[in-house]
């Protein structure tokens, strides 16, 4: 017999208690936790997009969902995607943001990046080609290659043995705040917080930070695009 302890789940995400362990009897809070967040074994080992589609349909059967499971490696993969009102990118493969940005700038596709940096929930910038700055207009992240061979080797060595922790307490605020900006943009109301900036919420001290990302006429990706009168919120 096994049961998950709330304190263990918060700290490591996969610990459990066995008969004979010091805290053998579940507390009232642990029972509430188990009842509130059941373990869905059908999700384990399944593709994320498949699980997401299933969960969305379970909440609203009237929603039409087109599921496409594809690894995005180059522009040809992106060209197979159908035109959308907005693309949300949530991925951490090296170079993926630059690849998606180049595709969206060329096709006029609006897109938004959502991610996390350690314990910082991050979203933006919301890129509207011809209206706002794009991902390449300003230097928003460190480049894969710095031009310094010794430094690049050191960074590569660190990355090979270190993976940034992924926790719901960071991912969920990023998803929620990004979703709010998406609703504002598509619905044409309120003020989109990620226009021309990348926003970060430091979860350990509830502090907002931002990186400005205005249009850059010298940008190699979007500098040559004529300013558009497309709607901006």
């Amino acid at each position: 017999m096994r049961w998950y302890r709330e304190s263990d789940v918060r700290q490591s995400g996969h610990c459990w208690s066995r008969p004979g362990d010091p805290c053998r009897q579940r507390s009232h809070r642990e029972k509430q936790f188990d009842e509130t967040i059941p373990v869905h074994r059908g999700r384990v080992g399944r593709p994320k997009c498949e699980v997401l589609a299933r969960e969305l349909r379970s909440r609203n059967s009237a929603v039409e969902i087109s599921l496409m499971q594809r690894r995005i490696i180059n522009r040809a993969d992106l060209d197979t995607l159908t035109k959308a009102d907005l693309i949300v990118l949530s991925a951490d493969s090296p170079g993926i943001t630059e690849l998606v940005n180049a595709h969206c700038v060329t096709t006029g596709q609006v897109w938004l990046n959502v991610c996390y940096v350690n314990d910082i929930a991050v979203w933006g910038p919301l890129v509207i080609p011809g209206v706002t700055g794009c991902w390449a207009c300003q230097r928003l992240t460190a480049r894969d290659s710095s031009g310094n061979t010794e430094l690049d080797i050191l960074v590569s060595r660190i990355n090979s043995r270190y993976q940034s922790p992924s926790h719901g307490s960071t991912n969920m605020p990023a998803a929620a705040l990004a979703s709010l900006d998406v609703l504002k943009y598509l619905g044409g109301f309120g003020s989109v917080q990620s226009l021309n900036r990348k926003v970060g919420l430091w979860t350990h001290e509830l502090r907002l930070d931002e990186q400005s990302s205005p249009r850059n006429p010298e940008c190699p990706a979007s500098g040559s695009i004529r300013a558009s009168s497309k709607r901006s919120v």
Side-chain angles (χ1 to χ4, degrees), residues 11-12 116-120 162-171:
Q11 294 173 15
S12 62
Y116 63 91
V117 179
N118 293 319
D119 63 344
I120 307 172
Y162 174 78
Q163 181 176 355
S164 181
S166 176
H167 297 295
S169 57
T170 302
N171 298 343

Side-chain angles (χ1 to χ4, degrees), residues 21-201:
D21 283 350
C23 47
R24 186 167 59 254
Q25 299 297 324
R26 290 188 301 172
S27 68
H28 177 65
R29 177 177 293 182
E30 289 168 340
K31 292 178 181 178
Q32 285 183 322
F33 184 81
D34 288 347
E35 294 170 358
T36 305
I37 308 178
V39 178
H40 295 281
R41 294 185 179 180
R43 297 176 179 177
V44 179
R46 306 304 304 170
K48 293 180 181 179
C49 56
E50 179 183 307
V51 174
L52 176 60
R54 187 183 69 197
E55 294 301 320
L56 289 173
R57 291 189 181 107
S58 71
R59 286 159 174 75
N60 188 346
S61 59
V63 173
E64 182 178 341
I65 301 172
S66 297
L67 180 62
M68 178 183 293
Q69 185 178 339
R70 178 186 296 274
R71 182 177 295 276
I72 303 299
I73 299 176
N74 51 43
R75 286 286 299 275
D77 296 323
L78 290 169
D79 290 339
T80 63
L81 302 179
T82 57
K83 182 70 176 180
D85 293 321
L86 188 146
I87 287 179
V88 175
L89 174 67
S90 179
D92 55 7
S93 302
I96 188 65
T97 47
E98 290 79 8
L99 181 66
V100 170
N101 182 72
H103 168 79
C104 291
V105 165
T106 302
T107 60
Q109 173 69 63
V110 180
W111 77 284
L112 174 69
N113 185 58
V114 186
C115 62
Y116 63 91
V117 179
N118 293 319
D119 63 344
I120 307 172
V122 179
W123 76 104
L126 176 68
V127 177
I128 308 174
V131 177
T132 69
C134 75
W135 184 265
C137 280
Q138 308 296 329
R139 186 166 181 172
L140 299 175
T141 59
R143 299 293 189 261
D144 290 334
S145 175
S146 67
N148 183 323
T149 303
E150 184 177 353
L151 176 61
D152 291 342
I153 292 176
L154 177 60
V155 171
S156 177
R157 188 180 305 160
I158 293 173
N159 288 337
S160 69
R161 66 174 185 267
Y162 174 78
Q163 181 176 355
S164 181
S166 176
H167 297 295
S169 57
T170 302
N171 298 343
M172 291 174 68
L177 293 167
S179 297
L180 183 58
D181 266 2
V182 168
L183 291 173
K184 288 178 179 179
Y185 172 74
L186 296 178
F189 67 90
S191 177
V192 177
Q193 298 302 305
S194 56
L195 285 177
N196 290 313
R197 65 176 180 169
K198 179 182 177 184
V199 190
L201 172 64

